[in-house]
Amino acid sequence: MKILIARMNHETNTFSPVATPLAAFGCNGPNHGEDALNENKGMQTAMAAFIDAAEREHAGIVTPISASANPSGPVEAAAYDAICDAIVAAATGCDAVMLDLHGAMVAENSNDGEGDLLERVRAALPNAPIAVALDLHGNVTQKMIDNADVIVSFKTYPHVDMYETGAHAARLLFDLIHGKAKPLIAWRQPPLLTHTLRSATAEGAMKRAVEAARAAEADGMLAVSVLSGFSLADIEAPCISVVVVSNGEREQAEAVAERIARQIWNDREDFVYRSAPLAESVAQAAALAHGADKPVLLLDHGDNCMSGGTCDTMDLLEEALKQKLEGIVSGPLCDPQAVAALMAAGVGSTVTVTIGNKVASSAVIPRPPVAVTGVVRALTDGEYVISGPTYTGQRAFMGRAAVLDTGTVKLVMTERTHEPWDLGVFESVGIDPRRARFLLLKSRMYCRPVFVPIAAALVECDSRGVTSSDYGLFKFEHVKRPVFPLDAQTEWAPTNEAS
């Protein structure tokens, strides 16, 4: 048996001005062949689980590509074609396919990145079973449903079950191959744009939906996935979905999908996040710091690179300085020009540079860069190894990194947008984040498993960036209307088809 295993991960924010060329995938482009296998082998990705499952079956493994990029703007057409072409070209002679996909890719030449890829793979291998692992924030389409035999998504956010999801999908694929199961997919998609901050699986309506999915699996369904969708994509339906895989039982699968989708629709208000004014959030953080012996986290979720943020909006830092907060550690701020200036000046130099607010976007009002003066404390290559629990063991690349110390704030600046997955973001440049009074992180959720344990409190701060929770900032032109919460009076009646 010969199995095609590949990874194509990108969550596309169509409002983001951050470009997505082929070089954005990986350190400087995707890995191919043996390098693609080695990049995932032993890691906590779905592709790693696929590899392990195929090896247990003593199957031949073909790994044409592993391509993963931080969320950003639409994928350049040449990059999308290169990734898809590599996967399709490798399909010849394969007996089965396992794909580690995100589910919310939009390219310059495709509004349905995963669906169009799966359609091509199915055309190349019409009789081969295809299993797909998806991110919880995938935007499911009919084309994806039509061209896969097994679909399973993450059940955690922050995502700490990527490997487990791949293992689940692989198990169902091999059960199909060995005649132990006949996977059949049903799905529903209510017209609901969820907020990412309401898709955390440890609380609220999303927790209840995932619990319902797990209960349905315990009651006999092969897999039940709740995908909250990624709403900052101006496509037809960037909405929440329920995907059910049954063992050949169409009626039961449809009933489960409909029941959970109806539960979600009844809970729709709980999937909406309404931000406090930024000044109010910073004042709250200041109050929480009184008497605290640990840092207070201020999460700048309006400029979060893991949703396509530029990582260069200065709203939160400016407000913190305006309210005279001290003992601040902030970052990573993406500003290649400032990094270059600090590199040229050298460690120990006192410099004045303009930082941030340099990447223009149609979604936010332009603001001038901010001039700051400080001492260059560190200059590094910006690389470190993630300690976990997300992407454990993988090497992270921030581009070159520099630390500017103004006396009030230690600012970590990088050449690339970067999520603070790990204390290594700061420790790799000589900063102990535990010693800060305030930690200003450009993050929404992924920092929490690592930074919450070292913090006294957490405050969510919504800057006017391209990942803001204020949908009023964004001009949705292609989303099918009506849709909640853009249209408050939206109604929905489940049917036997997704709607």
Side-chain angles (χ1 to χ4, degrees):
M1 184 162 49
K2 185 178 178 183
I3 300 179
L4 169 61
I5 298 174
R7 185 182 187 201
M8 184 181 81
N9 282 187
H10 187 258
E11 182 178 77
T12 306
N13 180 336
T14 61
F15 303 101
S16 173
V18 180
T20 315
L22 190 62
F25 291 84
C27 180
N28 190 28
N31 281 318
H32 299 268
E34 195 73 16
D35 290 337
L37 187 147
N38 292 334
E39 178 186 28
N40 290 274
K41 181 67 175 171
M43 298 300 166
Q44 293 299 305
T45 63
M47 183 168 172
F50 292 160
I51 293 167
D52 290 346
E55 287 180 343
R56 287 193 296 271
E57 292 282 335
H58 305 291
I61 300 174
V62 179
T63 53
I65 196 166
S66 177
S68 181
N70 281 346
S72 48
V75 177
E76 292 183 3
Y80 177 69
D81 288 345
I83 297 168
C84 293
D85 288 350
I87 295 171
V88 175
T92 302
C94 290
D95 301 294
V97 179
M98 292 190 282
L99 296 177
D100 178 348
L101 306 177
H102 183 284
M105 176 183 277
V106 179
E108 292 173 338
N109 55 341
S110 173
N111 280 340
D112 184 4
E114 288 84 359
D116 287 342
L117 169 63
L118 286 167
E119 185 176 58
R120 291 183 62 189
V121 174
R122 175 63 75 198
L125 295 172
N127 299 315
I130 299 173
V132 177
L134 294 177
D135 191 288
L136 176 142
H137 294 105
N139 291 325
V140 180
T141 67
Q142 189 64 50
K143 193 175 287 189
M144 294 162 65
I145 298 293
D146 290 342
N147 292 286
D149 297 283
V150 171
I151 294 178
V152 184
S153 78
F154 308 157
K155 284 185 171 66
T156 63
Y157 181 52
H159 307 316
V160 294
D161 65 335
M162 292 180 284
Y163 184 94
E164 290 78 5
T165 299
H168 190 167
R171 182 173 67 254
L172 297 186
L173 179 85
F174 286 117
D175 283 349
L176 168 61
I177 290 171
H178 297 314
K180 297 179 181 178
K182 296 179 180 180
L184 179 152
I185 300 176
W187 77 301
R188 294 292 185 278
Q189 188 175 60
L192 169 60
L193 301 181
T194 71
H195 280 95
T196 305
L197 279 168
R198 288 292 178 259
S199 61
T201 52
E203 60 187 15
M206 191 62 182
K207 178 183 180 182
R208 294 192 292 273
V210 171
E211 286 174 344
R214 293 189 186 279
E217 289 178 344
D219 199 34
M221 294 298 102
L222 298 181
V224 182
S225 302
V226 178
L227 300 96
S228 65
F230 183 66
S231 296
L232 294 176
D234 189 17
I235 58 176
E236 182 178 358
C239 299
I240 195 167
S241 299
V242 179
V243 177
V244 178
V245 183
S246 73
N247 190 7
E249 300 165 337
R250 168 65 66 183
E251 185 175 342
Q252 291 92 330
E254 297 287 354
V256 169
E258 190 154 320
R259 182 179 74 247
I260 297 176
R262 173 52 63 185
Q263 173 185 320
I264 288 168
W265 184 247
N266 291 339
D267 277 348
R268 60 191 177 277
E269 284 287 351
D270 289 339
F271 284 96
V272 178
Y273 180 90
R274 293 180 172 85
S275 300
L278 185 58
E280 182 180 311
S281 298
V282 173
Q284 179 189 3
L288 290 168
H290 289 304
D293 59 356
K294 295 181 180 180
V296 174
L297 299 181
L298 289 83
L299 301 192
D300 187 2
H301 62 87
D303 186 25
N304 166 227
C305 79
M306 291 311 291
S307 291
T310 61
C311 286
D312 90 324
T313 62
M314 298 300 293
D315 297 11
L316 176 56
L317 181 60
E318 288 185 280
E319 183 62 34
L321 295 175
K322 180 180 178 181
Q323 295 194 29
K324 301 187 184 305
L325 273 59
E326 296 182 345
I328 299 170
V329 170
S330 178
L333 174 77
C334 181
D335 192 327
Q337 298 96 331
V339 171
L342 300 187
M343 287 281 177
V347 173
S349 301
T350 298
V351 296
T352 297
V353 291
T354 58
I355 61 174
N357 293 343
K358 296 175 182 176
V359 182
S361 166
S362 61
V364 296
I365 299 172
R367 287 146 295 182
V370 176
V372 293
T373 300
V375 177
V376 182
R377 297 296 187 194
L379 300 169
T380 78
D381 62 5
E383 297 185 16
Y384 67 94
V385 176
I386 299 171
S387 60
T390 306
Y391 295 125
T392 305
Q394 293 195 40
R395 179 163 289 277
F397 306 94
M398 301 188 289
R400 293 186 301 172
V403 176
L404 186 67
D405 185 353
T406 72
T408 301
V409 55
K410 291 180 180 176
L411 183 62
V412 178
M413 288 178 280
T414 61
E415 290 182 313
R416 301 180 67 168
T417 60
H418 190 76
E419 171 71 26
W421 305 104
D422 196 83
L423 299 181
V425 167
F426 299 109
E427 292 177 340
S428 67
V429 294
I431 295 174
D432 182 353
R434 302 169 190 81
R435 298 173 65 86
R437 183 170 173 80
F438 298 97
L439 272 173
L440 278 57
L441 304 180
K442 287 190 173 295
S443 183
R444 191 194 305 276
M445 193 64 65
Y446 291 110
C447 70
R448 299 189 192 210
V450 174
F451 286 90
V452 166
I454 70 166
L458 181 154
V459 180
E460 293 165 346
C461 302
D462 197 352
S463 61
R464 307 286 282 183
V466 295
T467 69
S468 171
S469 295
D470 181 1
Y471 287 161
L473 293 176
F474 308 105
K475 187 177 181 181
F476 289 95
E477 297 179 322
H478 303 293
V479 173
K480 183 179 179 181
R481 309 290 287 266
V483 64
F484 190 84
L486 301 185
D487 306 297
Q489 301 306 314
T490 303
E491 297 182 358
W492 179 65
T495 65
N496 286 334
E497 299 293 334
S499 60

